Amino acid sequence: MRGWDEVDVILFSADAYVDHPSFGAAVIGRTLEAAGYRVAIVPQPDWHGDYRDFKKLGRPRLFFGISPGCMDSMVNKYTANRRLRSEDAYSPDGRHDLRPEYPTIVYSKILRELYPDVPIVLGGIEASLRRLTHYDYWQDKLRPCILCDAPADIIIYGMGEKPIVELAHRMSDGFAIGDIHDIPQTVYLTKDISPKEDDIVLHSHEECLKNKRSQAENFRHIEEQSNMMYAQRLIQPLTSSTTPDGSPSGVCVVVNPPYPPMTTAELDASFDLPYTRVPHPKYKGKRIPAYEMIKFSVNIHRGCFGGCAFCTISAHQGKFIACRSKESILNEVKQVVQMDGFKGYLSDLGGPSANMYGMHGRNLKACEKCKRPSCIHPQICPNLDTNHSKLLEVYRAVDALPEVKKSFIGSGVRYDLLLYRSKDEAANKSAMEYTRELITRHVSGRLKVAPEHTSDKVLYLMRKPSFSQFYDFKRIFDRINREEHLNQQIIPYFISSHPGCTEADMAELAITTKRLDFQLEQVQDFTPTPMTVSTETWYTGYDPYTLEPVQSAKSQRDKLAQRQYFFWYKPEERRNIEQSLRRIGRPDLINELCPHADYRKERRRQEPQEEKRGRHRRHR
């Protein structure tokens, strides 16, 4: 239909194809198309049998690209207890059988077998976060760079618009992919490397296998360089052997520094590409759960300077905030309101953290040299401009559109930014103004926030603020609700089994949240995922920044023992919780957490009728 005799790039995606700026394969496809390349996308190819899906379009002129999905394939497939999830959110009708485990590796091997001479480029979360030696929770192994398992040529890590276009240009100009070693934000293997003066040479993969402390030491460099404006090149040998002059001998992984954060104009250009914003017609009549969640939402920025220890956003997007212009955001909202099924309500006007839009350092020269992975932990950086005015302007411009009845904020809100008081009174005033407007105009009855824990010791390891700030925010939330005659709830998120967390800490969490009259719903057991501080701490037993030992719950029994405290209000959990409290030496908490009268009452309510009659006869 297009009159093409070949395509330049063929992308294989492990997600269903949704032509929307929230889906990686669509973004890369539209970006290459805008740069003048002919692109084909094959979503969820069948990796069994004769590989016909991998052969149907032949060989591309430039390269194959592999996009394993918007989520890590193993997180997408399994829970923290390694159980199969109820559905695959990025597959039609939530089907589980359309995506292999580790699609990056599976697809690469098939393509290399079928087309040995065609370059293969890896991208997306799965490859990005496995670019160096990493712990794999599902294999329970320390794994090398994914290029050692996936027979590909290069990784593009992070948000890939700029490096993918530069790579396509180089290859169009006749350069072989094996000779392209200087594009920022790329990773490759090489045997010939002479470290430069400002390169950082990490402990080898072989050394990390022998010594967990070496892996912890490596990670500090990896995280710091992922979050610097102008980073250094990282080199990791796969073996510990060296040449007489001390240079690595053998194969090395080379990670080029990332591009600087995208400008507003660059980010606008990406979001303004001609997305249809809907799933491909092949999915007509089928539900794609992840799409249904974001169908009527708009993303307004990239990046997150929170630096939460268990989160991979900064490892993939960086800590510096790249904002869209108000005009670009409004243009997208005007597209959303024309969509079928839109009834006047935007489900989210947010980003990785809802209220970081427009925020940056006052002195950008200081930011260019900063190595801190978080701008707000352990304290909010005094150089950070926390003014919420630009964000309020966006909210008000969107709400002024006649088709928009209400815009909700579904992304997580950082209440520590709302509570912070700096020397800048204008910023302080805007935070108070934002707080009131958020609560009165942008909450759909329930506001999601993420204190994550109640223990300050655990929160420090998580890089989250003290729980006292949650009390402060809840008081403000409740007061504004009273003043405005609203009946809204705070829905807090919590994590169990995080490194440094004990059963005693979880017991205190249960007591604290019960006193606040919460019956927790939004909870999760800590899942170690590649390239987070928490995962490295959990695996190595060391804090990568202090190298001090940290204990973690690792066995399923220990993890469940912590998780049960979320559900103190469930009768079936109370006996185990009572036993746990006695075992950890906190019987003093039993009466408050599991009042015995309530416990017996609930147990009797659950007894079969026949058993009740038998008990009554015995009493008589």
Side-chain angles (χ1 to χ4, degrees):
M1 290 171 68
R2 293 198 174 205
W4 295 352
D5 54 0
E6 67 174 352
V7 292
D8 298 315
V9 177
I10 300 176
L11 301 177
F12 288 90
S13 170
D15 287 343
Y17 182 55
V18 182
D19 190 23
H20 187 285
S22 292
F23 292 76
V27 174
I28 297 303
R30 289 294 186 188
T31 299
L32 286 167
E33 178 188 50
Y37 296 98
R38 293 169 295 184
V39 185
I41 297 178
V42 182
Q44 301 190 312
D46 185 354
W47 68 98
H48 308 93
D50 61 4
Y51 304 149
R52 67 182 65 185
D53 288 346
F54 293 89
K55 296 185 285 189
K56 61 173 61 170
L57 291 169
R59 63 179 61 231
R61 183 174 69 89
L62 298 178
F63 57 83
F64 290 115
I66 295 177
S67 172
C70 293
M71 283 179 69
D72 184 278
S73 66
M74 302 305 283
V75 176
N76 185 52
K77 199 174 186 73
Y78 298 107
T79 68
N81 284 323
R82 298 185 175 92
R83 292 178 179 169
L84 191 67
R85 292 193 186 276
S86 58
E87 64 180 11
D88 182 330
Y90 291 87
S91 293
D93 292 334
R95 286 176 56 180
H96 281 293
D97 58 340
L98 298 176
R99 175 200 315 271
E101 296 180 359
Y102 307 103
T104 299
I105 297 171
V106 174
Y107 294 173
S108 296
K109 288 181 175 178
I110 293 170
L111 290 170
R112 184 60 77 215
E113 177 187 332
L114 296 175
Y115 304 100
D117 57 335
V118 178
I120 300 174
V121 180
L122 307 182
I125 289 284
E126 187 165 81
S128 179
L129 302 184
R130 289 173 167 80
R131 58 188 184 256
L132 289 157
T133 294
H134 59 278
Y135 173 69
D136 188 292
Y137 174 65
W138 297 274
Q139 296 182 29
D140 192 23
K141 289 180 182 177
L142 201 64
R143 303 297 304 163
C145 168
I146 198 169
L147 286 172
C148 297
D149 295 314
D153 298 278
I154 197 168
I155 297 171
I156 289 176
Y157 68 91
M159 309 303 276
E161 293 104 319
K162 293 173 80 169
I164 196 74
V165 170
E166 179 61 23
L167 181 64
H169 287 345
R170 296 279 190 94
M171 295 186 69
S172 288
D173 290 341
F175 287 91
I177 197 166
D179 297 331
I180 302 174
H181 289 162
D182 61 338
I183 297 177
Q185 226 164 292
T186 58
V187 184
Y188 61 93
L189 301 180
T190 183
K191 290 183 178 179
D192 304 308
I193 190 75
S194 297
K196 300 172 186 174
E197 186 177 347
D198 60 347
D199 288 342
I200 296 175
V201 180
L202 303 172
H203 295 296
S204 69
H205 176 70
E206 183 179 73
E207 173 62 24
C208 292
L209 287 172
K210 296 175 184 175
N211 185 351
K212 290 184 176 181
R213 187 183 172 106
S214 296
Q215 173 67 8
E217 289 175 352
N218 271 2
F219 189 77
R220 177 171 183 171
H221 293 299
I222 294 167
E223 187 185 40
E224 285 177 343
Q225 299 308 310
S226 297
N227 288 287
M228 289 193 67
M229 186 78 75
Y230 301 106
Q232 295 168 261
R233 187 170 70 162
L234 298 176
I235 298 172
Q236 184 182 31
L238 293 177
T239 64
S240 301
S241 56
T242 58
T243 61
D245 67 355
S247 296
S249 172
V251 177
C252 293
V253 182
V254 180
V255 179
N256 286 325
Y259 276 98
M262 294 177 83
T263 64
T264 292
E266 289 171 335
L267 194 55
D268 282 355
S270 178
F271 276 90
D272 293 345
L273 293 170
Y275 302 100
T276 64
R277 296 187 60 86
V278 295
H280 191 275
K282 70 181 284 185
Y283 305 117
K284 185 176 181 180
K286 296 180 179 178
R287 180 183 66 96
I288 299 173
Y291 171 69
E292 294 301 321
M293 183 183 295
I294 56 87
K295 185 176 182 179
F296 301 128
S297 70
V298 174
N299 189 354
I300 63 176
H301 73 264
R302 284 185 186 169
C304 179
F305 51 70
C308 298
F310 47 81
C311 181
T312 60
I313 290 172
S314 65
H316 193 70
Q317 296 189 9
K319 73 178 182 182
F320 296 102
I321 306 300
C323 296
R324 299 172 65 185
S325 68
K326 183 170 67 175
E327 293 70 29
S328 174
I329 294 166
L330 287 172
N331 286 339
E332 187 174 355
V333 173
K334 289 173 184 175
Q335 292 179 52
V336 172
V337 301
Q338 300 300 320
M339 293 175 65
D340 291 341
F342 182 75
K343 297 180 180 178
Y345 300 97
L346 289 173
S347 61
D348 190 19
L349 200 59
S353 282
N355 58 321
M356 290 184 183
Y357 180 89
M359 294 186 182
H360 51 75
R362 291 183 172 88
N363 177 359
L364 294 179
K365 293 290 183 186
C367 294
E368 290 176 3
K369 299 175 182 177
C370 178
K371 283 188 175 183
R372 279 179 59 174
S374 172
C375 302
I376 54 180
H377 179 86
Q379 293 89 30
I380 293 178
C381 175
N383 187 44
L384 180 65
D385 184 354
T386 57
N387 198 307
H388 286 72
S389 297
K390 290 181 180 178
L391 184 52
L392 283 168
E393 285 179 23
V394 170
Y395 287 0
R396 289 163 183 170
V398 169
D399 288 349
L401 295 173
E403 300 90 345
V404 176
K405 295 178 183 176
K406 203 160 189 177
S407 58
F408 298 120
I409 308 306
S411 305
V413 174
R414 291 296 305 226
Y415 52 77
D416 44 349
L417 288 174
L418 301 179
L419 298 170
Y420 177 63
R421 297 295 173 257
S422 70
K423 295 178 181 177
D424 183 347
E425 284 306 317
N428 297 341
K429 183 180 177 183
S430 74
M432 295 167 66
E433 191 177 352
Y434 177 88
T435 303
R436 178 169 287 274
E437 180 146 336
L438 170 74
I439 294 169
T440 58
R441 298 183 59 85
H442 301 284
V443 176
S444 60
R446 311 173 99 197
L447 177 65
K448 298 174 185 175
V449 295
E452 307 294 8
H453 214 284
T454 58
S455 161
D456 283 354
K457 173 197 67 162
V458 178
L459 286 167
Y460 189 86
L461 289 169
M462 290 178 164
R463 294 185 183 153
K464 298 289 286 188
S466 167
F467 194 69
S468 63
Q469 293 199 34
F470 177 78
Y471 282 116
D472 294 340
F473 179 71
K474 187 175 185 301
R475 278 193 288 270
I476 293 170
F477 181 87
D478 291 342
R479 174 176 57 79
I480 292 174
N481 270 270
R482 286 193 303 273
E483 292 171 356
E484 300 291 337
H485 306 292
L486 298 171
N487 183 25
Q488 299 180 144
Q489 294 176 290
I490 286 182
I491 304 298
Y493 283 61
F494 289 95
I495 295 177
S496 60
S497 302
H498 187 274
C501 180
T502 64
E503 282 183 66
D505 294 321
M506 291 303 298
E508 292 287 354
L509 183 152
I511 289 288
T512 301
T513 54
K514 183 181 181 184
R515 288 172 182 168
L516 287 167
D517 201 25
F518 285 124
Q519 288 195 1
L520 301 182
E521 303 171 20
Q522 300 294 337
V523 298
Q524 62 176 316
D525 195 16
F526 170 67
T527 305
T529 55
M531 216 166 173
T532 69
V533 184
S534 299
T535 296
E536 298 302 326
T537 305
W538 191 89
Y539 165 71
T540 65
Y542 297 100
D543 180 322
Y545 283 78
T546 65
L547 296 179
E548 292 180 357
V550 178
Q551 295 297 314
S552 300
K554 292 195 172 182
S555 71
Q556 187 174 16
R557 178 181 176 181
D558 289 344
K559 289 165 77 69
L560 290 174
Q562 290 200 21
R563 191 175 187 274
Q564 68 184 351
Y565 280 99
F566 287 140
F567 308 109
W568 56 266
Y569 54 89
K570 292 186 176 182
E572 63 269 25
E573 299 289 354
R574 293 187 181 182
R575 184 180 294 278
N576 288 335
I577 289 174
E578 186 176 334
Q579 291 173 350
S580 171
L581 289 171
R582 294 188 189 284
R583 188 179 69 254
I584 64 176
R586 294 304 308 271
D588 55 303
L589 300 180
I590 291 174
N591 283 338
E592 182 171 358
L593 199 56
C594 307
H596 211 56
D598 289 352
Y599 168 69
R600 284 181 173 172
K601 187 176 178 181
E602 292 286 354
R603 291 286 295 179
R604 290 180 182 178
R605 189 180 299 159
Q606 287 192 327
E607 286 176 359
Q609 200 62 33
E610 187 61 40
E611 190 174 328
K612 283 185 180 178
R613 284 196 291 268
R615 178 163 46 79
H616 291 324
R617 283 195 296 271
R618 287 194 297 275
H619 282 305
R620 286 199 298 272

